């Protein structure tokens, strides 16, 4: 029940190993239900007042949508508690505890929260917990995550989101299917505010608050830019069906599998967001439109699926979950190249789909795909994580240079696949063995970068 325990009591219980959230989380389904109900009624009542909808039809539609609203509310709450569970598990990583300490300090400095009022631990307390292999508890994380989401809602609401080309596709799933079957979701009187809420919830639930903050710092952009980039890639790559399938079975698959797939999706989103943020201006708009058209075709993703995948090692998995896991791995394998592909001038007559095939052949021949997998190995320290970020950027630049050499050959009349072989031979590139650790992967990246660089690397 409400106020069955104080926040201090909840924190003490959680530190002793108990599983508990906060009143706000325990009651969030009721609040979310009211949110959906009010927003649906606002829209329908607007139509009634304008004489577009008879009141009897309004009441009938509301009744008919009850089941859909229930499913939407349960989905929101499942994703939110799933996020909190994963963030609690991540507290065993000292780097994650440090990240949350910095996040809390940042939110406090900008006036988004009061550490004392919210009963959040001091930096000294977090440091003490870290030495004992602990971090923030679930009740504390619930408060931090709520403040992060609310902050994003405020900052995003001040922007013109409904004018973005992908706005309708991201907003539409918020509403019951029956309601938007014959209505444009952007016609809702509060469309911009609702879209800001959807983006805040979805991006934080999928990525976690630390990734969004870290990417903003690494890319030198505002955190709202990262959230908007999340909306772009979610819509452009048509990721909703993939994640719907993962969500549907998330609570029924083995816990180890669920955790592994969640980690993979975080890696995927980081790569996609880095790629989207690397583009700007006309190139970004044009490139995202191209990707949207390409991934709207089911055969695009189907053609990327590997013949053998890790999901095949678990024959008891639901078929839809296994297929979605393979899709995540497939998109991840081409994630960095997708944005390179839309940022270069392709030879006339070479479609984006064909160009991706050339790019995949190039990556395999040169060993870029192997190096990317190596860069996803776990760092052993914060400094190594920073070096990995530099190596990732260097590998992306190197891929662009090799790709430019291939394109120069194609423009000169060579067949695309022949151009891949010639460019690789000219640079004496024969690929790399799978690295044993992140350090080896980074050394291999520097080796490739030096081989491809137009000038000798500085000592």
């Amino acid at each position: 029940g409400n106020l069955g325990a104080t926040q201090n009591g909840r924190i003490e219980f959680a530190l002793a190993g108990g599983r508990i959230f906060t009143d706000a989380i325990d009651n969030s389904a009721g609040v979310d239900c009211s949110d959906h109900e009010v927003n649906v009624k606002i829209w329908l009542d607007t139509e009634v007042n304008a004489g577009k909808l008879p009141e009897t039809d309004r009441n009938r539609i509301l009744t008919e949508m009850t089941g859909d609203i229930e499913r939407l509310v349960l989905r929101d709450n499942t994703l939110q508690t799933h996020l909190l569970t994963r963030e609690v598990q991540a507290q065993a990583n000292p780097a994650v505890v440090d990240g949350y300490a910095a996040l809390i300090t940042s939110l406090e400095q900008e006036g988004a929260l009061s550490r004392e009022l919210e009963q959040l631990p001091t930096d000294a307390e977090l440091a003490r917990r870290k030495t004992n292999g602990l971090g923030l508890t679930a009740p504390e994380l619930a408060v931090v995550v709520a403040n992060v989401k609310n902050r994003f809602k405020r900052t995003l609401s001040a922007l013109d989101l409904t004018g973005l080309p992908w706005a309708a596709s991201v907003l539409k799933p918020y509403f019951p299917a029956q309601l938007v079957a014959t209505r444009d979701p952007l016609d809702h009187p509060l469309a911009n505010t609702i879209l800001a809420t959807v983006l805040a919830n979805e991006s934080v639930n999928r990525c976690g608050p630390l990734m969004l903050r870290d990417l903003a710092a690494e890319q030198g952009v505002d955190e709202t830019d990262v959230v908007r980039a999340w909306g772009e890639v979610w819509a452009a790559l048509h990721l909703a069906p993939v994640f719907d399938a993962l969500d549907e079975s998330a609570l029924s698959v083995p816990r180890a599998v669920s955790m592994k797939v969640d980690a993979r999706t975080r890696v995927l989103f980081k790569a996609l967001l880095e790629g989207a943020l690397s583009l700007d201006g006309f190139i970004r708009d044009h490139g995202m439109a191209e990707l949207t058209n390409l991934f709207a075709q089911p055969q695009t993703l189907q053609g990327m699926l590997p013949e053998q995948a890790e999901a095949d090692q678990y024959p008891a998995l639901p078929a839809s979950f296994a297929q979605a896991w393979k899709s995540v791995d497939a998109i991840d394998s081409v994630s960095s190249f997708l944005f390179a592909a839309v940022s270069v001038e392709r030879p006339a007559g070479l479609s984006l789909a064909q160009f991706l095939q050339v790019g995949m052949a190039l990556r395999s021949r040169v060993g870029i795909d192997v190096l990317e997998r190596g860069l996803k190995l776990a760092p052993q320290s914060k400094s190594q994580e920073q070096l990995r970020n530099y190596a990732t950027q260097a590998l992306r630049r190197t891929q662009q240079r090799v790709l430019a050499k291939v394109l120069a050959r194609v423009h000169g009349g060579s067949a695309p696949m022949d151009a891949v072989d010639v460019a690789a031979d000219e640079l004496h590139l024969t690929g790399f063995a799978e690295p044993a650790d992140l350090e080896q992967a980074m050394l291999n990246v520097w080796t490739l970068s030096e081989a491809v660089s137009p000038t000798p690397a500085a000592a």
Side-chain angles (χ1 to χ4, degrees):
N2 286 341
L3 304 179
T6 63
Q7 179 70 347
N8 276 337
R10 289 172 180 269
I11 294 169
E12 182 178 344
F13 180 66
L15 286 172
R19 295 185 179 183
I20 192 168
F21 289 126
T22 61
D23 277 336
I25 297 299
D26 295 341
N27 290 290
S28 59
V31 175
D32 195 29
C33 188
S34 297
D35 179 75
H36 278 83
E37 178 188 353
V38 168
N39 284 325
V40 167
K41 286 181 176 178
I42 286 174
W43 202 354
L44 294 180
D45 289 347
T46 299
E47 294 182 357
V48 170
N49 294 334
K52 296 179 180 179
L53 182 72
E55 188 168 357
T56 53
D57 287 348
R58 176 257 193 201
N59 295 336
R60 173 183 54 79
I61 292 171
L62 278 175
T63 301
E64 291 173 352
M65 290 189 302
T66 299
D68 271 353
I69 289 181
E70 288 175 354
R71 284 187 287 274
L72 291 170
V73 169
L74 290 174
R75 173 191 179 276
D76 289 346
N77 282 261
T78 299
L79 291 180
Q80 182 167 254
T81 51
H82 193 121
L83 166 70
L84 289 173
T85 300
R86 290 290 178 258
E87 294 304 298
V88 169
Q89 292 163 344
Q91 299 302 303
N93 182 342
V96 171
V97 180
D98 290 340
Y100 269 102
L103 173 59
I104 292 171
T105 298
S106 175
L107 290 171
E108 191 172 33
Q109 287 175 345
E110 64 183 55
L113 65 75
S114 166
R115 192 189 301 251
E116 185 176 356
L117 287 177
E118 301 284 13
Q119 294 168 277
L120 293 171
T122 62
D123 287 343
E125 168 62 12
L126 274 177
R128 186 191 67 77
R129 290 187 196 178
K130 189 172 65 171
T131 62
N132 295 323
L134 301 173
L136 292 170
T137 64
E140 293 163 331
L141 283 165
V143 169
V144 175
V145 168
N147 276 278
V148 170
K149 287 183 176 181
N150 286 334
R151 175 178 175 272
F152 282 147
K153 291 174 190 176
R154 289 193 300 272
T155 55
L156 290 165
S157 293
L159 305 175
D160 178 16
L161 300 174
T162 55
L164 298 170
W166 45 266
S169 63
V170 174
L171 178 59
K172 187 175 182 178
Y174 169 86
F175 298 103
Q178 178 183 348
L179 191 64
V180 288
T182 56
R183 295 172 177 83
D184 183 345
L186 297 179
D187 287 340
H188 191 287
L190 300 177
N192 204 75
T193 301
I194 298 173
L195 181 53
T197 300
V198 169
L199 283 171
N201 284 333
E202 295 287 328
S203 62
V204 174
N205 285 342
R206 299 297 183 186
C207 301
L210 295 187
M211 182 197 298
L212 301 174
R213 181 175 184 271
D214 290 346
L215 278 172
E218 292 167 11
Q219 301 292 323
V221 298
D222 190 81
E223 288 178 46
T224 53
D225 294 325
V226 182
V227 176
R228 283 190 292 177
W230 183 92
E232 280 185 298
V233 299
W234 179 265
L237 303 186
H238 298 268
L239 294 176
V242 173
F243 281 83
D244 284 346
L246 294 178
D247 296 340
E248 184 180 7
S249 301
L251 298 179
S252 60
V253 300
R255 181 169 177 264
V257 169
S258 179
M259 293 178 67
K260 181 176 292 188
V261 174
D262 283 348
R264 293 283 177 82
T265 63
R266 292 278 184 102
V267 170
L268 171 64
F269 276 122
K270 187 174 190 296
L272 292 177
L273 291 173
E274 286 174 339
L277 292 168
S278 70
L279 308 177
D280 53 34
F282 170 79
I283 291 176
R284 182 163 177 171
D285 294 339
H286 178 72
M288 286 299 177
E290 276 202 299
L291 291 174
T292 300
N293 293 333
L294 181 65
F295 278 86
Q297 306 166 31
Q299 63 268 28
T300 296
L301 184 53
Q302 192 64 34
M304 294 179 179
L305 297 179
E307 293 184 7
Q308 292 184 326
E310 188 173 2
D312 295 326
Q313 300 175 18
Y314 302 87
L317 291 178
S320 58
F321 184 92
Q323 185 78 356
W325 183 358
K326 292 178 184 179
S327 297
V328 168
D329 286 346
I331 298 172
D332 184 40
S333 70
V334 301
S335 56
S336 68
F337 185 71
L338 285 175
F339 301 96
V342 298
S343 62
V344 298
E345 183 180 352
R346 297 192 300 274
L350 194 65
S351 69
L352 179 56
Q354 293 169 327
F355 188 57
L356 286 176
Q357 291 180 335
V358 174
M360 297 311 294
L362 173 65
R363 287 159 51 79
S364 178
R365 172 68 194 274
V366 173
I368 292 174
D369 53 355
V370 172
L371 296 181
E372 284 182 345
R373 289 197 295 272
L375 290 179
K376 291 170 184 173
L377 295 172
Q380 300 303 311
S381 64
K382 189 66 177 178
S383 60
Q384 195 177 57
E385 184 176 0
Q386 292 173 336
L387 286 173
R388 178 175 64 177
N389 293 334
Y390 296 140
T392 299
Q393 297 297 327
L395 184 58
R396 185 174 292 125
R397 292 191 295 270
T398 299
Q399 178 175 251
Q400 292 278 43
R401 293 193 190 104
V402 181
L403 186 59
K405 293 181 181 296
V406 172
L407 290 175
R409 288 275 173 187
V410 175
H411 283 300
S414 298
M417 291 303 181
D418 292 341
V420 168
D421 291 332
V422 172
D425 289 341
E426 284 183 347
L427 295 169
H428 307 292
L429 302 176
T430 58
F432 295 88
E434 290 282 351
D437 52 38
L438 179 57
E439 183 176 358
Q440 183 60 56
M442 291 191 292
L443 289 174
N444 289 344
V445 168
W446 305 134
T447 298
L448 176 62
S449 179
E450 185 174 350
V452 176
S453 177
T455 56

